[in-house]
């Protein structure tokens, strides 16, 4: 493989440093507990593995022949983020929980966190474009293309696990500051609004 590893790692790290839907979902999940944060991180990276598999199978060729597919993914991703945002914000306007009841926050179990992060990643058009247009730029040399894409994709997934570990630790610490119901509700409203802005941005984006 004739790959500029430093350049590739730099591009991947930069992508993870720019907060996006995955970051918001994982951070919010981590404030519910580190196990929930881990579940969300694994969901996001599972989605990333699917993108890697699609890239190995010729994702760039498919998109070149069916450009409307990316628009469909972007629309679905935007609608899904708006759904998560609405569900999260509306729940904060329910009656405040009593001392013997848990806060009525939707989708904060491990399984739900995994699923939310999985679909958020799968429907992220930026992830699709990365594996369709950016990653192939680092492929070269006599080795089979599918093998090079697989190795680069696996490195992306591993770097993501490191990045999300930092986010989970930060989220778990932040969760201690959100123990009061009122503070938690405002945090969830802020998180929901952020997801709504990201979702609206996807719907309004133009090719």
């Amino acid at each position: 493989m004739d790959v500029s590893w430093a350049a590739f790692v730099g591009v991947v790290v930069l992508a993870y440093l720019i907060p996006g839907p995955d970051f918001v979902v994982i951070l919010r999940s981590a404030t519910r507990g580190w196990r929930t944060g881990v579940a969300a991180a694994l969901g996001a990276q599972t989605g990333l593995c699917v993108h890697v598999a699609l890239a190995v199978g010729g994702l760039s060729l498919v998109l070149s022949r069916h450009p409307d597919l990316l628009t469909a993914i972007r629309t679905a991703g935007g609608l899904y983020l708006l759904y998560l945002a609405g569900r999260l914000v509306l729940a904060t306007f329910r009656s405040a929980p009593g001392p013997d009841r848990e806060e009525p926050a939707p989708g904060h179990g491990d399984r739900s966190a995994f699923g939310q992060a999985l679909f958020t990643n799968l429907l992220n058009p930026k992830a699709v474009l990365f594996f369709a247009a950016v990653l192939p730029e680092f492929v070269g040399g006599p080795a089979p293309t599918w093998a090079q894409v697989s190795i680069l994709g696996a490195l992306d997934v591993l770097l993501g696990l490191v990045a999300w570990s930092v986010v989970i630790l930060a989220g778990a610490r932040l969760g201690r500051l959100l123990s009061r119901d009122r503070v938690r509700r405002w945090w969830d409203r802020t998180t929901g609004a952020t997801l709504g802005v990201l979702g609206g941005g996807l719907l309004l984006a133009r090719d």
Side-chain angles (χ1 to χ4, degrees):
M1 291 180 60
D2 185 15
V3 178
S4 177
W5 295 102
F8 179 75
V9 171
V11 169
V12 172
V13 170
L14 180 62
Y16 280 110
L17 287 177
I18 301 175
D22 289 350
F23 176 90
V24 176
V25 170
I26 293 172
L27 178 63
R28 189 259 172 173
S29 298
T31 63
R32 298 287 175 179
W34 68 268
R35 288 183 57 180
T36 308
V38 169
L42 292 177
Q45 297 313 92
T46 299
L48 206 61
C49 288
V50 174
H51 288 300
V52 173
L54 291 174
V56 171
L59 175 62
S60 58
L61 179 61
V62 173
L63 289 180
S64 66
R65 293 180 176 178
H66 305 281
D68 291 341
L69 181 59
L70 185 61
T71 300
I73 294 173
R74 184 174 61 235
T75 301
L79 292 175
Y80 184 67
L81 291 180
L82 289 178
Y83 162 74
L84 291 181
R87 188 180 177 202
L88 183 57
V89 172
L90 289 176
T92 66
F93 289 99
R94 297 174 184 170
S95 59
D100 298 326
R101 293 190 300 162
E102 294 183 353
E103 181 184 357
H108 62 270
D110 296 353
R111 183 177 299 178
S112 180
F114 179 93
Q116 289 179 7
L118 171 64
F119 285 106
T120 298
N121 185 275
L122 287 176
L123 297 175
N124 187 347
K126 291 184 179 179
V128 176
L129 285 174
F130 177 84
F131 285 99
V134 178
L135 186 144
E137 294 297 320
F138 293 92
V139 173
T145 299
W146 67 266
Q148 296 184 57
V149 171
S150 298
I151 293 174
L152 293 174
L155 179 58
D156 188 346
V157 173
L158 292 176
L159 290 173
L161 290 175
V162 175
W164 297 144
S165 296
V166 176
V167 174
I168 291 169
L169 290 174
R173 288 181 175 273
L174 179 60
R176 300 172 187 173
L177 304 176
L178 304 175
S179 58
R180 296 178 58 185
D181 294 338
R182 184 176 182 181
V183 177
R184 170 66 70 173
R185 285 197 297 274
W186 278 106
W187 163 257
D188 283 345
R189 289 171 187 173
T190 302
T191 304
T194 302
L195 289 173
V197 170
L198 291 172
L202 289 180
L203 292 178
L204 295 175
R206 295 290 182 269
D207 294 329

